[in-house]
């Protein structure tokens, strides 16, 4: 399956919150839908789920208009939606049946997913008596109870400890390996890097960057180098480089104990290294820049406008 968002726009009153955004994701892959608060992520997801309509543009599945009602979709909203005063089992069975399962199958799937989430012991407990982490695992169990082929996860790791995070990571990875189509929205970039082959970064209602994460990282690091010294602080090294290497490079930023520099020519790397050696700079590291997704996100969506 291939899910495509094409030129999607949405306004509330006179405020346009999506400005013709486009992205796509296929089965067996996960798309990281990223953006700061208010960027348009949740609006996009709600249009995908047909909670409300876009003003223009389209959502297609395998080239045809996408109707969520005709497909099993596992949706885990950021605002969790289970019933705190109902037992775990009765509401999971109810929600499974509401989405088309028989009572027998809903009960069977409920037990399977609670076991996978390691919360079987709470089956007959009211949800409100569980810890936040265990409530989150129950929420993911209901998301997957119908074995959906399309899975949309909005901040699934929010507030989880490392042990519970690992359980959810294992389950989500398994779903991707089984060929599910996953849209994953999170502010926690390490999880996005772990799961997602593709990303789409929203900023003020526009897609400012999208594509294969590996290729995006390669492109962002293409003309940049990392330099650090054993003797000089990053600030001292930056001063040296600005004074004597202005023809070859531009100092972009200090990042912890190292400098990120941009080459001014494709053959500048060797020349920079030769000059540093000539000047007896005691190098700790000199090499290609490999940006994290967090670096890329800050560069593309870090403005305050």
């Amino acid at each position: 399956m291939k899910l495509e968002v094409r030129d999607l726009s949405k306004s509330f009153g006179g405020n346009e919150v999506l400005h013709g955004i486009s992205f796509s994701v296929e089965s067996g892959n996960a798309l990281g839908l990223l953006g700061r608060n208010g960027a348009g992520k949740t609006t996009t997801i709600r249009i995908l789920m047909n909670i409300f309509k876009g003003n223009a543009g389209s959502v297609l599945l395998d080239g045809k208009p996408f109707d969520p009602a005709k497909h099993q979709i596992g949706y885990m909203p950021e605002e969790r939606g289970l019933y705190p005063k109902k037992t775990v089992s009765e509401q999971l069975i109810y929600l499974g049946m509401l989405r088309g399962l028989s009572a027998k199958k809903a009960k069977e799937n409920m037990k399977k997913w609670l076991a996978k989430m390691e919360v079987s012991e709470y089956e007959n407990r009211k949800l409100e008596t569980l810890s936040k982490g265990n409530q989150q695992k129950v929420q993911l169990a209901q998301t997957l109870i119908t074995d959906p082929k399309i899975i949309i996860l909005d901040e699934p790791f929010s507030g989880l400890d490392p042990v519970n995070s690992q359980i959810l990571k294992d389950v989500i990875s398994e779903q991707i390996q089984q060929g599910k189509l996953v849209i994953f929205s999170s502010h926690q970039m390490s999880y996005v890097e772990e799961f997602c082959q593709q990303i789409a970064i929203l900023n003020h209602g526009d897609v400012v960057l999208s594509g294969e994460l590996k290729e995006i990282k390669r492109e962002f690091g293409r003309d940049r180098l990392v330099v650090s010294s054993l003797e000089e602080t990053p600030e001292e090294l930056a001063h040296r480089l600005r004074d004597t290497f202005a023809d070859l490079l531009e100092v972009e930023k200090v990042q912890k104990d190292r400098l990120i520099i941009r080459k001014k020519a494709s053959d500048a790397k060797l020349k920079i290294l030769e000059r540093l050696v000539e000047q007896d700079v005691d190098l700790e590291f000199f090499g290609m820049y490999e940006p994290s997704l967090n670096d890329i996100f800050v560069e593309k969506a870090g403005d305050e406008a």
Side-chain angles (χ1 to χ4, degrees):
M1 291 188 299
K2 183 177 182 180
L3 185 68
E4 297 176 85
V5 170
R6 292 186 182 175
D7 302 318
L8 195 63
S9 298
K10 178 63 180 177
S11 297
F12 295 99
N15 181 30
E16 188 176 35
V17 296
L18 296 178
H19 310 137
I21 67 168
S22 299
F23 59 83
S24 65
V25 58
E26 298 186 30
S27 297
N29 290 282
L31 170 80
L33 185 62
L34 312 176
R36 296 170 63 184
N37 293 332
K41 304 186 303 298
T42 299
T43 297
T44 302
I45 289 172
R46 288 175 176 171
I47 293 172
L48 287 174
M49 292 299 300
N50 203 27
I51 295 171
F52 46 64
K53 303 285 187 182
N55 295 110
S58 57
V59 180
L60 306 175
L61 185 66
D62 294 332
K64 299 177 181 178
F66 176 55
D67 182 356
K70 296 179 179 179
H71 302 272
Q72 285 291 358
I73 301 174
Y75 175 37
M76 185 175 182
E78 184 176 6
E79 305 85 7
R80 309 310 183 213
L82 296 180
Y83 303 101
K85 297 190 180 298
K86 296 290 185 180
T87 65
V88 169
S89 60
E90 65 180 321
Q91 59 185 308
L92 291 192
I93 292 171
Y94 169 74
L95 290 169
M97 293 174 64
L98 197 63
R99 289 153 63 187
L101 299 182
S102 66
K104 180 180 178 181
K105 186 63 175 175
K107 184 175 181 180
E108 178 185 314
N109 286 7
M110 176 270 295
K111 288 184 175 293
K112 178 185 80 171
W113 282 110
L114 291 185
K116 274 185 172 289
M117 302 295 173
E118 300 184 9
V119 287
S120 294
E121 63 191 283
Y122 306 118
E123 177 182 329
N124 296 311
R125 293 262 299 271
K126 290 182 179 180
L127 187 71
E128 65 183 359
T129 67
L130 276 59
S131 68
K132 182 178 180 180
N134 285 329
Q135 288 186 33
Q136 194 107 322
K137 290 193 286 184
V138 171
Q139 183 83 36
L140 186 56
Q142 76 79 25
T143 300
L144 302 174
I145 197 168
T146 61
D147 190 29
K149 299 297 185 287
I150 300 171
I151 300 168
I152 300 174
L153 305 171
D154 197 351
E155 295 292 351
F157 295 96
S158 177
L160 292 182
D161 61 57
V163 174
N164 281 328
S165 291
Q166 187 60 53
I167 293 170
L168 263 68
K169 283 197 289 185
D170 291 343
V171 168
I172 295 169
S173 294
E174 181 182 60
Q175 295 299 299
I176 296 168
Q177 291 165 11
Q178 289 177 2
K180 306 298 179 65
L181 187 157
V182 178
I183 295 176
F184 183 87
S185 179
S186 178
H187 288 111
Q188 295 168 289
M189 299 297 156
S190 60
Y191 292 128
V192 177
E193 287 194 272
E194 188 165 349
F195 294 122
C196 299
Q197 295 86 357
Q198 299 167 284
I199 62 167
I201 298 178
L202 296 180
N203 193 30
H204 304 303
D206 292 298
V207 173
V208 293
L209 185 68
S210 66
E212 294 285 338
L213 182 54
K214 284 184 179 180
E215 181 56 35
I216 288 170
K217 283 189 168 190
R218 190 177 299 116
E219 186 62 32
F220 264 71
R222 192 179 302 280
D223 60 348
R224 290 166 171 166
L225 297 170
V226 179
V227 185
S228 63
S229 168
L230 290 169
E231 295 182 343
E232 297 179 84
T233 67
E235 290 77 11
E236 290 169 339
L237 185 57
H239 183 71
R240 175 197 291 271
L241 296 179
R242 289 190 181 102
D243 278 354
T244 60
F245 292 74
D247 59 321
L248 295 176
L249 62 85
E250 174 187 344
V251 177
E252 283 202 339
K253 60 183 174 181
V254 176
Q255 191 177 73
K256 295 183 179 179
D257 58 349
R258 61 184 194 165
L259 292 180
I260 311 299
I261 62 176
R262 184 185 293 275
K263 299 181 293 178
K264 289 188 175 180
S266 59
D267 62 348
K269 180 180 178 181
L270 183 57
K271 293 178 181 178
I272 294 167
L273 180 58
E274 287 174 346
R275 286 199 202 175
L276 288 170
V277 172
E278 288 171 1
Q279 294 183 14
D280 292 323
V281 176
D282 194 359
L283 290 173
E284 178 182 41
F285 184 86
F286 181 89
M288 298 302 296
Y289 174 54
E290 296 182 5
S292 68
L293 179 55
N294 191 72
D295 295 334
I296 295 168
F297 180 84
V298 170
E299 182 167 328
K300 299 302 293 186
D303 63 280
E304 293 293 339

